[in-house]
Amino acid sequence: EMLQVDKEPLLDLPIFVPKDCSPISKLVDRIISLRASSKDASSLEEELNKMIYELYELTVDEIDALEKSLISS
């Protein structure tokens, strides 16, 4: 099945780029490395999630809704 995505609505999505990406990049590299060796990276993934929540200045209610939607999908 082929789906089409129109770019116009996507242009309104906020994309934040932190001044210093290195903490996020390093954490992602560590997660990838652990997963590549079949090790648990869940605590690092939670840490990464918190960094992203802070970057987007999400409220507790927004975080709860997001996490609930991820669990149910």
Side-chain angles (χ1 to χ4, degrees), residues 44 48 59 66:
L44 294 179
L48 177 62
T59 66
L66 176 62

Side-chain angles (χ1 to χ4, degrees), residues 42-58:
S42 59
S43 64
L44 294 179
E45 290 168 348
E46 288 177 22
E47 186 178 336
L48 177 62
N49 288 345
K50 288 179 185 176
M51 292 171 81
I52 301 301
Y53 298 158
E54 288 176 16
L55 178 65
Y56 280 86
E57 299 178 350
L58 297 182

Side-chain angles (χ1 to χ4, degrees), residues 6-44:
D6 294 324
K7 77 173 186 175
E8 294 305 318
L10 298 177
L11 296 174
D12 294 330
L13 290 175
I15 305 295
F16 295 105
V17 179
K19 292 178 184 173
D20 181 12
C21 294
S22 64
I24 293 173
S25 296
K26 288 178 183 177
L27 191 53
V28 169
D29 288 342
R30 289 174 56 203
I31 291 169
I32 291 170
S33 175
L34 284 173
R35 285 185 160 203
S37 59
S38 299
K39 294 182 181 173
D40 181 34
S42 59
S43 64
L44 294 179

